[in-house]
Amino acid sequence: MLGFIIRPPHQLLSLLLCPGLRIPRLSVLCAQPRLRAMAVSSSSWELPLVAVCQVTSTPDKKQNFITCAELIREAARLGACLAFLPEAFDFIARNPEETLHLSEPLGGNLLGEYTQLARECGLWLSLGGFHERGQDWEQTQKIYNCHVILNNKGSVVATYRKTHLCDVEIPGQGPMHESNSTIPGPSLESPISTPAGKIGLAICYDMRFPELSLALVQAGAEILTYPSAFGSVTGPAHWEVLLRARAIESQCYVVAAAQCGRHHEKRASYGHSMVVDPWGTVVARCSEGPGLCLARIDLNYLRRLRQHLPVFQHRRPELYGHLGHPLS
């Protein structure tokens, strides 16, 4: 069965998948139906539905694909138009050497499998962080952390290479030196039109830089994506706070697919994939373990909110400069 959280019509309606569907390894938040669902007009259910997938990637690329494909097919069965996968959906390696060994170019076998899957399901896919061997692989022997958007025909319609690399040492979480194997991307990607709205692309650590989200929204973004693999210390402290802040200040929906659980003996991730509406309300979230949650995107609500609270018209760049220049 499916459970629903029914919010007032001016808010995004969230639809959450229950464990009762008996999907292997599926564990997500389930909400009970409310009587006032009868009062919601049928047009609310015609809003675009997006699916946010939560997985535990390992160094086993084949098994990771099987897990992701299972969730994507379930998202399609439930009527989603777009499914979001987290950063490192392809694999999470034990060390930089293994990361480089397992990486592939965009034209490799793994992206080919996802291309076929998108066509099979008739679904747009946000592949949130692919370990990409770029055209400079032979010279650099380093990769890009690449967010790829596939349309429902399986064509690559957008790519964004992570611009802010996570080189940090958090006590209790272990060091992270992404630059050991990864090159920072050279630019932002203009928001891409999808059946759910115009999506601005980012990846994980990018969420700590509001200039990026402000640049994307000024370029027309209506949905910001932060596919992630947050750690067990920063996750409880910062994950939801940062996502809600990005939604509020940009007046965008925020979709954040996350890695969860223990990937191998050296690394674990926080999980808690979620969707946040432009008011800053968490309208859908995954519970513990691999699974998915779904939410409807109401762009009319977004436009009304921006009209009633026109913060971008009230900015004073002559006082503090442009915090996030519009994309050229």
Side-chain angles (χ1 to χ4, degrees), residues 102-280:
L102 293 173
S103 64
E104 295 185 18
L106 288 180
N109 292 333
L110 186 60
L111 257 293
E113 291 186 277
Y114 279 98
T115 292
Q116 183 177 343
L117 185 62
R119 286 198 300 261
E120 170 196 326
C121 295
L123 197 65
W124 284 61
L125 298 179
S126 163
L127 305 178
F130 175 72
H131 296 87
E132 178 206 3
R133 292 188 183 184
Q135 295 182 351
D136 54 0
W137 164 254
E138 295 296 334
Q139 292 76 37
T140 65
Q141 293 296 295
K142 287 190 174 184
I143 60 173
Y144 294 95
N145 189 341
C146 185
H147 188 162
V148 182
I149 301 292
L150 300 179
N151 66 15
N152 59 352
K153 305 298 183 183
S155 299
V156 175
V157 295
T159 56
Y160 161 73
R161 292 164 180 89
K162 188 177 182 183
T163 50
H164 302 97
L165 300 185
C166 189
D167 288 350
V168 301
E169 296 194 15
I170 306 295
Q173 187 169 284
M176 173 73 70
H177 298 291
E178 191 173 11
S179 63
N180 286 347
S181 61
T182 306
I183 302 170
S187 62
L188 304 184
E189 175 74 15
S190 295
I192 181 73
S193 294
T194 77
K198 295 191 73 173
I199 293 182
L201 304 183
I203 301 174
C204 198
Y205 192 58
D206 286 333
M207 76 175 68
R208 295 185 180 274
F209 303 89
E211 298 89 344
L212 185 153
S213 62
L214 293 174
L216 290 173
V217 71
Q218 290 179 81
E222 297 162 324
I223 303 167
L224 300 177
T225 57
Y226 293 104
S228 298
F230 252 54
S232 56
V233 174
T234 55
H238 298 161
W239 172 249
E240 182 176 326
V241 175
L242 286 170
L243 294 173
R244 295 179 68 189
R246 296 296 83 82
I248 293 167
E249 71 195 5
S250 66
Q251 297 180 319
C252 285
Y253 286 100
V254 166
V255 178
Q259 292 281 345
C260 68
R262 182 154 294 280
H263 310 287
H264 45 69
E265 64 278 6
K266 295 182 178 180
R267 186 168 174 186
S269 292
Y270 177 62
H272 295 77
S273 303
M274 65 179 64
V275 179
V276 186
D277 74 11
W279 187 251

